[in-house]
């Protein structure tokens, strides 16, 4: 029957979507690698720079493999290669291409830091630096993150004049608004007090008129009764 056939197709479709979700869920919760928020960093020739890298895994890790690679327009090479036995041990370096490179990170106490430092920078060090991590506990799932290093002769001073002007204008506008609000409240207070005084004056004036006219309920002196 067409109705039964359609229901069977719909069930099969939902089953396929469910199985796909179960397959993608471990991937979405698996290994992640980060080199920080900045995608490009600048350093002066002859100085030292820290290239940050941290990783995280919801499933933990064992015999984790990590390495840093360098890539420029005409060069690709592995800078450092190492492993981490488990979460209670520090990284162990197996290969290092350059003596200027030092592993600075630690994986103890869930720091999961495999950052490296590069000393005595040269202009030829400009290029892409990629931190790779492979976790056997996640079926050798691999993830990486890249940061670009630009070696310069000197760091340019950032001109903050425009920023300071904008901050000054914004601060002035905010101050003016606060001043206007205070003046508005002060004027409202004065008007309220003036109206209260006018009201008191009107009540007092009305009482005086009643007294002078000798109206009932007034405070006018009572006349003595006439003797017959």
């Amino acid at each position: 029957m067409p109705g039964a056939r359609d229901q069977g197709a719909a069930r099969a479709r939902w089953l396929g979507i469910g199985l796909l979700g179960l397959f993608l869920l471990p991937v979405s919760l698996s290994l992640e690698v980060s080199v920080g928020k900045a995608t490009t960093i600048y350093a002066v020739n002859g100085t030292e720079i820290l290239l940050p890298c941290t990783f995280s895994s919801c499933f933990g890790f064992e015999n984790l493999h990590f390495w840093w690679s360098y890539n420029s327009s005409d060069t690709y090479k592995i800078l450092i290669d190492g492993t981490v036995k488990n979460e209670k041990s520090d990284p162990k370096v197996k290969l290092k291409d350059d003596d200027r490179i030092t592993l600075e990170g630690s994986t103890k106490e869930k720091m999961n830091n495999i950052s490296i430092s590069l000393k005595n920078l040269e202009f030829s060090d400009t290029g892409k630096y990629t931190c790779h991590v492979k976790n056997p506990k996640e079926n050798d799932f691999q993830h990486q993150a890249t940061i670009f290093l630009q070696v310069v002769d000197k760091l340019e001073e950032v001109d903050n004049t425009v920023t300071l002007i904008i901050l000054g204008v914004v601060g002035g506008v905010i101050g003016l608004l606060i001043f206007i609000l205070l003046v508005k409240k002060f004027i409202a207070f004065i008007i309220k007090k003036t109206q209260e005084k006018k009201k008191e004056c009107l009540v007092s004036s009305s009482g005086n008129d009643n007294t002078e006219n000798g109206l009932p309920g007034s405070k006018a002196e009572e006349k003595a009764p006439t003797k017959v």
Side-chain angles (χ1 to χ4, degrees), residues 187-224:
I187 293 174
F189 175 77
I190 296 296
I191 293 174
K192 183 179 178 182
K193 288 296 182 181
T194 303
Q195 289 176 346
E196 289 177 355
K197 287 183 178 180
K198 286 183 178 180
K199 187 175 181 181
E200 291 176 0
C201 184
L202 289 173
V203 172
S204 176
S205 176
S206 176
N208 292 335
D209 290 343
N210 290 338
T211 301
E212 292 174 357
N213 294 329
L215 294 177
S218 68
K219 294 183 181 179
E221 294 182 357
E222 296 181 358
K223 294 181 180 180

Side-chain angles (χ1 to χ4, degrees), residues 8 38 54 66 80 91 94 98 133 141 163 203 218:
T54 57
F66 71 92
I80 192 170
K94 292 185 176 181
D98 196 326
V133 179
F141 183 75
T163 303
V203 172
S218 68

Side-chain angles (χ1 to χ4, degrees), residues 13-185:
R13 184 164 55 252
W14 282 110
L15 179 61
I17 293 173
L19 292 174
L20 180 62
L22 291 174
F23 174 76
L24 292 177
L25 181 61
V27 176
S28 63
L29 298 176
S30 60
L31 186 66
E32 290 187 2
V33 180
S34 172
V35 290
K37 295 181 179 180
T39 56
T40 302
I41 55 176
Y42 297 88
V44 177
N45 182 40
T47 62
E48 179 179 353
I49 188 69
L50 177 70
L51 301 175
C53 181
T54 57
F55 67 90
S56 62
S57 174
C58 293
F59 302 104
F61 61 89
E62 190 173 328
N63 295 322
L64 182 135
H65 180 206
F66 71 92
W67 67 100
W68 276 88
S69 65
Y70 166 76
N71 187 16
S72 65
S73 57
D74 56 353
T75 305
Y76 178 84
K77 59 182 178 180
I78 303 297
L79 299 175
I80 192 170
D81 189 295
T83 58
V84 186
K85 186 177 181 180
N86 52 48
E87 297 176 4
K88 296 181 179 179
S89 60
D90 275 329
K92 186 185 228 180
V93 177
K94 292 185 176 181
L95 179 147
K96 189 165 66 170
D97 178 74
D98 196 326
D99 291 335
R100 298 180 302 151
I101 298 173
T102 304
L103 180 65
E104 301 289 353
S106 173
T107 50
K108 288 182 178 180
E109 299 179 358
K110 297 182 179 180
M111 293 178 66
N112 296 347
N113 190 338
I114 47 176
S115 304
I116 61 173
S117 63
L118 183 58
K119 301 177 181 178
N120 301 321
L121 287 173
E122 302 172 357
F123 290 111
S124 58
D125 291 324
T126 296
K128 294 180 180 180
Y129 291 79
T130 304
C131 178
H132 307 259
V133 179
K134 182 187 288 187
N135 189 9
K137 202 169 182 179
E138 298 180 49
N139 296 322
D140 283 336
F141 183 75
Q142 179 182 329
H143 198 256
Q144 64 275 330
T146 301
I147 190 169
F148 185 82
L149 171 63
Q150 179 69 54
V151 181
V152 296
D153 185 42
K154 64 178 181 178
L155 294 176
E156 295 182 0
E157 294 183 2
V158 179
D159 188 1
N160 293 323
T161 304
V162 176
T163 303
L164 292 175
I165 292 175
I166 293 173
L167 290 176
V169 171
V170 172
V173 171
I174 293 174
L176 180 61
L177 290 175
I178 294 174
F179 177 75
I180 291 173
L181 288 175
L182 291 175
V183 170
K184 185 178 179 181
K185 286 187 176 182

